[in-house]
Amino acid sequence: MKSLQKLTKEQLDPYFLEWDRISVELAVLHRQREKRAKMVLEVGIELYKRLLSHCREALGEPDFEPLNGSERLSFIEGSPGTYAAYRQLAELFAELKKTVARKRIELKRSLE
C-alpha cells in the first residue's frame, strides 16, 4: 500500500506539469536556435532524475526505469544542447509516465 500512496497522481503530477512547461520552452528555444536550450535541458534532466528517484524509492526497485533508460540518459547528458537530446528526454518522460501508470494498476490489482 505504501508504494501505491507514493505513486498517486497527486504525488507525480507536479513533475510532469513542470516537464510540460520546460518542454514548451525547449521547443521554442530550438526553433529559434537559442544557445540557452542547453541550460534549460539540463534543468529537465535534473527533474527527470528526481522523478525517477521518487519512483524507484516508492517501488523499492533501485533498477526501475524505462527501456534502455540509463543509456538514453547518458546520451542526453552528453549532448544537452541538441534537438535530439530534447526529443529523447521527452520520450523518457512519456515512457516513464506510462510505466508508472502500469505499475500503479498492477499494485492496485495485487491489493484486491
Side-chain angles (χ1 to χ4, degrees), residues 56-77:
R56 286 175 172 170
E57 181 184 316
L59 292 167
E61 296 179 23
D63 296 331
F64 174 79
E65 67 182 19
L67 186 63
N68 298 325
S70 298
E71 295 86 356
R72 292 159 71 189
L73 187 58
S74 292
F75 164 76
I76 294 164
E77 291 175 322

Side-chain angles (χ1 to χ4, degrees), residues 39-57:
M39 290 185 315
V40 176
L41 189 79
E42 288 170 348
V43 172
I45 292 169
E46 290 308 310
L47 179 66
Y48 175 77
K49 287 179 177 180
R50 285 196 323 267
L51 173 59
L52 187 59
S53 176
H54 176 91
C55 293
R56 286 175 172 170
E57 181 184 316

Side-chain angles (χ1 to χ4, degrees), residues 23-34 86:
S23 182
V24 168
E25 183 178 356
L26 280 167
V28 170
L29 291 173
H30 278 290
R31 223 175 294 120
Q32 297 171 348
R33 303 201 187 288
E34 290 276 339
Y86 156 59

Side-chain angles (χ1 to χ4, degrees), residues 88-100:
Q88 196 60 239
L89 187 58
E91 289 301 316
L92 280 177
F93 268 99
E95 289 175 34
L96 188 58
K97 190 173 195 172
K98 290 178 198 172
T99 306
V100 166

